[in-house]
Amino acid sequence: MKSATAPISIAGTHLAETRHVCAFFNNDEEEYRILLPFIKEGMKCGDKAVHVLNPEQHEDHLQRLTAAGMDPAAAQQSGQLELRTNTEVYLPDGRFDQDRMLGVFEQLASGNTTGGFPMSRICCRMDWAIKDQSHVDEVIEFESRVNDVWLHHDDAVICTYHLGQFSGDAVIDIMRTHPMVIIGGLLQQNPFFVPPDEFLQEFRQRRAGRSSSPGTA
């Protein structure tokens, strides 16, 4: 349940009550330049850190945390830091199930974690979705639907997308599902955000139109 919490520093400004963020980056260096201070601040504040990473990213990620002055081994041992692999989280049986994932994120939310952490700072690398166009469409719907989960919790959730991997149309729709956006290294309230009920109706109509078009597989 939401409570009165202090604003969170990230990308040159602060997150207030709205904390579901899509972050667009060009490369790993830009991503870590923005995220490491946010992660380090959370560690100092005693927040839970949940990092959902590419399968090959774990060792490099731990090295970057250490180089930034954190002790990831101690944080993992205490339960403050939890590393997960994105394919295992989102595709445990090879398919993406929106309803299952809503339940997963509800369990990750601050009110449901063990260890007495005041809130969670969740960073999710979304590269896995590009392997299948149906995954991209499902993720876009999910990103809109999961706003209803985060409305009720204090957690800060950063969904990271690398611009060169997603089509322009997908980037626009991803942006429209997040109330906050980091682009060009700066956090801002997203003027393109569309509330879930409105967005989902429009997006599902577009998906249905694509699937019924001649020549669509």
Side-chain angles (χ1 to χ4, degrees):
M1 181 174 294
K2 273 193 174 291
S3 58
T5 58
I8 296 171
S9 299
I10 185 170
T13 185
H14 295 87
L15 281 172
E17 291 186 4
T18 304
R19 296 177 174 178
H20 183 208
V21 183
C22 60
F24 295 108
F25 300 114
N26 292 301
N27 51 51
D28 287 348
E29 297 307 317
E30 182 184 13
E31 178 174 353
Y32 280 101
R33 178 173 59 82
I34 298 300
L35 292 186
L36 282 173
F38 163 79
I39 294 169
K40 188 173 184 178
E41 178 190 73
M43 292 287 192
K44 289 182 177 179
C45 293
D47 295 337
K48 173 90 172 181
V50 181
H51 300 165
V52 183
L53 309 169
N54 291 337
E56 72 284 357
Q57 192 183 355
H58 285 238
E59 183 176 350
D60 177 68
H61 186 74
L62 291 172
Q63 290 174 352
R64 290 177 186 266
L65 296 185
T66 301
M70 290 172 265
D71 187 346
Q76 286 181 289
Q77 187 172 8
S78 71
Q80 184 181 15
L81 172 62
E82 183 177 340
L83 299 188
R84 297 194 179 191
T85 300
N86 51 18
T87 50
E88 294 175 355
V89 170
Y90 290 99
L91 303 170
D93 55 1
R95 68 186 186 91
F96 181 68
D97 184 322
Q98 293 187 43
D99 293 328
R100 185 191 68 82
M101 280 308 305
L102 289 171
V104 168
F105 277 102
E106 185 65 58
Q107 287 303 311
L108 288 176
S110 54
N112 300 315
T113 58
T114 58
F117 300 103
M119 57 168 280
S120 298
R121 298 188 184 211
I122 303 171
C123 299
C124 299
R125 182 75 173 259
M126 303 301 292
D127 297 7
W128 63 271
I130 63 172
K131 300 186 185 303
D132 188 317
Q133 178 58 44
S134 67
H135 289 162
V136 175
D137 289 342
E138 291 290 331
V139 164
I140 290 169
E141 282 200 20
F142 170 76
E143 289 278 38
S144 184
R145 293 178 65 192
V146 79
N147 283 298
D148 291 335
V149 173
W150 302 126
L151 277 176
H152 303 290
H153 298 283
D154 296 317
D155 310 288
V157 186
I158 316 297
C159 308
T160 69
Y161 294 85
H162 283 211
L163 286 166
Q165 298 183 346
F166 292 85
S167 71
D169 288 345
V171 167
I172 290 169
D173 279 326
I174 291 163
M175 187 180 297
R176 296 173 73 215
T177 64
H178 292 75
M180 304 296 292
V181 60
I182 295 172
I183 194 163
L186 297 174
L187 172 73
Q188 55 189 305
Q189 189 167 343
N190 183 5
F192 303 106
F193 173 65
V194 179
D197 288 347
E198 181 182 343
F199 177 84
L200 289 169
Q201 180 179 7
E202 175 213 319
F203 187 70
R204 287 167 179 166
Q205 287 175 347
R206 277 196 278 134
R207 286 189 71 182
R210 288 203 307 269
S211 63
S212 63
S213 297
T216 301

